[in-house]
Amino acid sequence: MFKINRKLKELKHNGERISLAIIGCGKMGASLINQLGDIDAIEVSLVIEHTPQKAKIALIDSGISEDKIINTDSYDEAYEALNKGFVVVSSNYRLAYKLLQITAVVDATGNPPFGAELAAKSIQYHKHFITLNVECDAVVGPILYDMAKKAGVVYTGIAGDEPGSIIDLCDFAYGIGLEILVAAKGKNNPLDNYANAEILKDQAKEKGLSPRMLTSFVDGTNTMIELNSVCNCLGFLPDTFGCHGIATSPETAVEDFKLKEDGGVLSSYKTVEFSPGMAPGVFLIVTSDKKEVRDLMKFLGFGDGPNYLLFRPYHLTSLETPITIYNAVLENEPTIAPLHGQVADTVSVAKRDIKKGEYLEGIGSDKVFGKLTDHTRSIKEDLLPIALITEKTKAIVDIPKDTVINLSMIELDEEATITKLRRRQNSMKL
């Protein structure tokens, strides 16, 4: 009972702590820093941010006095400052994995190419790696997970983001002996695959998001990537290219998520889905073949069965990350990890006509959006995972709008760590 709270209080009482490096101080990173100010024994020691003032403000808001914050890019100065009890702000991300005092690295950037390099290096230096960067996880998570196991550290996604919240609900369902048929999330924004940052800039400003981030939410790429990570964890697949996006409600979900032969739209179970009617929650469709279980579920108000809805009507994003930090560092347990390898891919589709020589720009751009498919198809057709796109990825032929882009149409950034990891992952069949 109250295990996390109790264990962290014991840690503090013993004069010990979990020392964190947080990379990125946007909406998620800043809120995490603030939240950690109220939690025992998990301390922010280093914040990496291109705009140091943003990091400084977040730290002060969390309760750290300004005179306890040191801004430096020097390893020696940072090392000395941490030993003296200061918190370091820096633009030198290498400090995160090189500083001996750091226990775990938290990636709050959402930048796949950078996240891949940061994760690989952190694991190499035997740091636990906690990632909010689901974009990176969806494309090279399996090899990073494999590297972490071999290094004796934990690689994990977070509690609170929808993939982690789905897996938390799955853990509950499996733990009480239920069979999971569908794992799904709500979608907050109306789906518009052709949305772009220019159209959404005012709305993004109101929400405190970058226009490109909001674009990735609206055009569906973020949803696909999040479900991609769920697939890689559970071994589930999308029922159709890009999922159905079934409009539903807590009252109708059990009926709506049935097989076609039973009056629903699904061709098979063990699948992932999204629904605009269930945001901001996550949910499962579960079943049991046991008569007594079905009788009790009916008695408890879950309906006649044989299928039932388990619904968590919220997810608290980075505010739940301390739970993941605790479990990773003290229990050596990931919240969500690609246990089944790369079973699905979020591949690139052209939003508009792309001319030869144009750079694709990637997630949240006006060039491409992502759709979820199975990894077998992705490999067979040599499709381009959207998270592999870097600033150097360009079209080498004209690509018409709505084309599912394959690697023969583009030039990859072969020097990028994320490309090298993906090629190695494919060769290892992870």
Side-chain angles (χ1 to χ4, degrees):
M1 185 181 294
F2 310 129
K3 180 180 180 181
I4 295 175
N5 182 265
R6 178 165 44 84
K7 289 283 189 180
L8 290 176
K9 285 186 182 299
E10 288 175 4
L11 203 66
K12 182 180 179 180
H13 178 75
N14 293 333
E16 300 176 73
R17 63 177 182 168
I18 297 168
S19 183
L20 296 179
I22 295 181
I23 320 300
C25 205
K27 198 174 190 69
M28 296 298 104
S31 62
L32 174 58
I33 290 168
N34 271 253
Q35 186 75 352
L36 289 170
D38 292 327
I39 296 175
D40 289 325
I42 304 180
E43 296 185 6
V44 180
S45 298
L46 171 68
V47 181
I48 304 297
E49 171 57 50
H50 288 304
T51 310
Q53 188 62 21
K54 287 172 63 178
K56 190 174 179 181
I57 290 170
L59 288 167
I60 292 170
D61 286 347
S62 75
I64 295 171
S65 62
E66 188 171 356
D67 61 3
K68 297 296 289 183
I69 301 170
I70 298 289
N71 187 352
T72 182
D73 288 342
S74 162
Y75 174 88
D76 291 337
E77 289 179 7
Y79 183 86
E80 188 69 22
L82 292 184
N83 280 344
K84 291 180 178 178
F86 289 92
V87 178
V88 174
V89 170
S90 180
S91 60
N92 180 6
Y93 71 91
R94 294 172 182 84
L95 295 180
Y97 51 80
K98 287 188 175 181
L99 284 167
L100 298 177
Q101 298 97 325
I102 299 299
T103 312
V105 176
V106 180
D107 177 7
T109 66
N111 181 324
F114 174 74
E117 182 178 352
L118 179 67
K121 283 292 188 181
S122 298
I123 291 165
Q124 180 184 335
Y125 278 78
H126 297 276
K127 309 291 187 187
H128 297 294
F129 195 79
I130 294 130
T131 183
L132 286 71
N133 193 341
V134 68
E135 297 87 350
C136 176
D137 177 72
V139 72
V140 291
I143 192 166
L144 294 173
Y145 179 62
D146 183 68
M147 290 167 61
K149 285 193 297 181
K150 291 172 180 174
V153 295
V154 172
Y155 168 85
T156 179
I158 64 160
D161 210 359
E162 282 140 308
S165 296
I166 289 171
I167 297 307
D168 184 52
L169 200 53
C170 290
D171 196 30
F172 170 78
Y174 283 142
I176 62 173
L178 296 175
E179 180 185 358
I180 300 170
L181 304 177
V182 181
K185 56 161 281 181
K187 188 178 186 312
N188 288 296
N189 316 92
L191 179 63
D192 177 5
N193 290 142
Y194 308 103
N196 62 61
E198 181 62 28
I199 293 171
L200 295 170
K201 63 181 180 181
D202 291 338
Q203 189 178 340
K205 186 176 181 180
E206 290 174 10
K207 293 177 179 290
L209 298 171
S210 74
R212 281 191 63 158
M213 179 176 285
L214 182 58
T215 300
S216 75
F217 294 162
V218 174
D219 73 11
T221 302
N222 178 263
T223 290
M224 298 292 100
I225 285 171
E226 290 185 328
L227 292 176
N228 197 153
S229 286
V230 174
C231 287
N232 292 350
C233 182
L234 293 177
F236 286 16
L237 291 172
D239 189 57
T240 189
F241 185 38
C243 303
H244 294 284
I246 300 167
T248 192
S249 69
E251 293 74 29
T252 63
V254 170
E255 290 298 316
D256 293 333
F257 286 85
K258 284 184 173 180
L259 297 176
K260 288 178 181 177
E261 57 260 37
D262 297 323
V265 300
L266 298 177
S267 299
S268 62
Y269 285 137
K270 305 294 183 185
T271 191
V272 296
E273 264 298 339
F274 70 93
S275 171
M278 302 291 272
V282 299
F283 63 101
L284 306 178
I285 304 298
V286 299
T287 191
S288 173
D289 60 2
K290 302 292 191 297
K291 180 182 181 302
E292 288 297 330
V293 172
R294 290 182 178 182
D295 287 347
L296 185 57
M297 290 293 279
K298 183 176 181 179
F299 173 77
L300 294 171
F302 281 80
D304 293 333
N307 297 351
Y308 310 96
L309 171 70
L310 296 182
F311 179 42
R312 178 183 172 181
Y314 64 90
H315 68 285
L316 301 182
T317 61
S318 57
L319 300 184
E320 296 184 48
T321 303
I323 296 171
T324 294
I325 295 167
Y326 166 85
N327 282 323
V329 177
L330 296 184
E331 303 291 347
N332 288 302
E333 278 289 330
T335 295
I336 174 172
L339 305 180
H340 286 265
Q342 196 75 41
V343 301
D345 275 313
T346 302
V347 298
S348 307
V349 182
K351 278 187 180 180
R352 60 167 176 80
D353 292 342
I354 301 171
K355 298 297 183 183
K356 178 181 178 180
E358 278 194 271
Y359 291 93
L360 270 62
E361 297 181 8
I363 296 167
S365 72
D366 69 342
K367 307 286 200 320
V368 291
F369 64 91
K371 291 190 78 170
L372 186 64
T373 192
D374 63 273
H375 182 61
T376 301
R377 177 196 174 189
S378 176
I379 292 296
K380 182 179 179 181
E381 299 180 20
D382 215 16
L383 301 180
L384 171 64
I386 194 167
L388 275 189
I389 297 172
T390 74
E391 61 185 11
K392 295 182 179 179
T393 306
K394 67 179 178 180
I396 57 175
V397 296
D398 290 342
I399 304 173
K401 180 180 178 180
D402 291 325
T403 298
V404 182
I405 300 171
N406 66 49
L407 295 178
S408 71
M409 301 173 184
I410 58 96
E411 183 178 276
L412 274 180
D413 181 1
E414 295 293 347
E415 295 305 309
T417 298
I418 197 167
T419 307
K420 294 176 181 178
L421 286 172
R422 177 65 181 215
R423 292 203 183 283
R424 184 173 153 205
Q425 178 177 287
N426 286 348
S427 70
M428 295 171 69
K429 300 189 184 304
L430 293 174

